[in-house]
Amino acid sequence: LMFWAPWNELSKVMRTPFRSIALANRHRAIFCLINVDNFKLACIHMQDLAERYAAEALPTFVLIKNNTVLGRVVGAKEEELRRTIASNV
């Protein structure tokens, strides 16, 4: 999951690398962009989702398998994100 917002500069920076990583791993994992602004309007449970995965800063990347968090990267840390995904998919 990538928690992001269009007004957040670091989110803008990380959208392209996230999409590139998602495309390269599309047969091994599901990648989701969660726009926290739109999600708040569409789903009353956004706060629950953000709290569940501790998405307190943007962007926040959370790797989940079978409802277990395997990894987390906060901020514009492309190499750390690539390493975290590579070691978990």
Side-chain angles (χ1 to χ4, degrees), residues 24-44:
N25 292 282
R26 68 184 176 275
H27 298 295
R28 299 187 303 192
I30 298 170
F31 293 78
C32 300
L33 288 166
I34 300 174
N35 179 333
V36 296
D37 290 341
N38 289 347
F39 206 78
K40 279 191 274 190
L41 299 174
C43 179
I44 196 162

Side-chain angles (χ1 to χ4, degrees), residues 49-69:
L49 187 62
E51 285 178 13
R52 178 176 181 175
Y53 296 114
E56 297 174 359
L58 298 178
T60 293
F61 303 89
V62 182
L63 286 76
I64 305 162
K65 183 175 182 178
N66 298 327
N67 291 323
T68 301
V69 174

